[in-house]
Amino acid sequence: MNSDHKALEQEALESLDPMAAVPKLAGPIGRVIGWVDTCFLTLAVVALVAIAVTVLLQICSRLFLPFSIAWTEELSRYLFIYMVALSVGVVLRQHRNISVELFHHLLGARMQAAFQVLICALIGLFAFLVLPYAWQYAQNGAWQTSPTLHVPMLYIFFSTVVTFALLLVYSLLGCLEGIIAMCRSSASLQEL
């Protein structure tokens, strides 16, 4: 029953996203990666909930208090930046980023894996090239503080380093999964 349910779930996912046919890493490594994914997604959801609470606080202060709280707009902006930065790797791994799907459904399993390797390699190359500049950008914030929260801007600018570092790591992971899928026999790809 459980394997039938899993097969139906995989088939439904593939009908929505043809690139989901490329299998993810399994075993202990796959479980660790899944745990790391869950941690990043949990942090992103916490940031989203904090944005909602901050915006509600801002609205309530404008409606019910004789003054408005100045730092809420700034905090919500920073939370949004980190929400995106923390979720970007998982979004890439789950193929939830914006893409044009004109021909994915026409590709066989090996070609889908090769396409994943190509896309992940290009994203990884871009992240690798931009990462040193992101670090330089983050260091510019060392002597600045935010206007209302008085937080060193290094922590805010560091979100660019987090973004491109996670893109680099997850693109390498996507390349590895694609290469493994390309090396497997066609019969084993159909079983997964």
Side-chain angles (χ1 to χ4, degrees):
M1 174 77 180
N2 192 16
S3 63
D4 292 338
H5 178 65
K6 195 170 193 172
L8 287 173
E9 184 179 300
Q10 182 68 20
E11 185 179 324
L13 185 60
E14 287 176 20
S15 70
L16 295 173
D17 179 18
M19 293 305 293
V22 178
K24 305 288 184 229
L25 289 175
I29 294 174
R31 284 192 295 276
V32 169
I33 293 169
W35 182 80
V36 171
D37 290 351
T38 302
C39 287
F40 281 123
L41 287 177
T42 301
L43 289 172
V45 168
V46 166
L48 180 62
V49 170
I51 290 170
V53 168
T54 304
V55 170
L56 283 174
L57 179 63
Q58 182 180 31
I59 292 169
C60 290
S61 72
R62 288 184 180 185
L63 290 176
F64 304 115
L65 296 177
F67 59 91
S68 63
I69 302 173
W71 52 265
T72 54
E73 183 178 341
E74 189 175 302
L75 179 61
S76 63
R77 189 177 320 127
Y78 298 153
L79 287 168
F80 178 76
I81 289 169
Y82 265 98
M83 179 187 69
V84 172
L86 292 169
S87 63
V88 70
V90 181
V91 167
L92 177 65
R93 185 159 190 259
Q94 294 179 354
H95 310 290
R96 298 293 183 249
N97 47 345
I98 297 173
S99 65
V100 179
E101 296 181 3
L102 296 176
F103 59 88
H104 293 109
H105 64 284
L106 300 174
L107 299 176
R110 285 187 195 271
M111 286 307 295
Q112 286 178 353
F115 186 72
Q116 177 174 316
V117 170
L118 174 68
I119 295 300
C120 287
L122 290 173
I123 291 171
L125 177 65
F126 177 74
F128 178 75
L129 293 174
V130 173
L131 193 56
Y133 299 105
W135 178 248
Q136 288 177 355
Y137 173 69
Q139 289 177 332
N140 286 336
W143 57 83
Q144 301 173 14
T145 58
S146 65
T148 57
L149 290 174
H150 304 293
V151 174
M153 290 302 289
L154 171 70
Y155 300 126
I156 310 306
F157 292 168
F158 191 72
S159 65
T160 58
V161 176
V162 171
T163 300
F164 291 110
L166 286 175
L167 275 177
L168 180 59
V169 168
Y170 275 91
S171 64
L172 291 173
L173 182 61
C175 284
L176 179 65
E177 289 174 341
I179 290 169
I180 290 171
M182 285 187 331
C183 293
R184 289 187 177 157
S185 67
S186 297
S188 66
L189 281 177
Q190 294 302 324
E191 291 172 6
L192 297 172

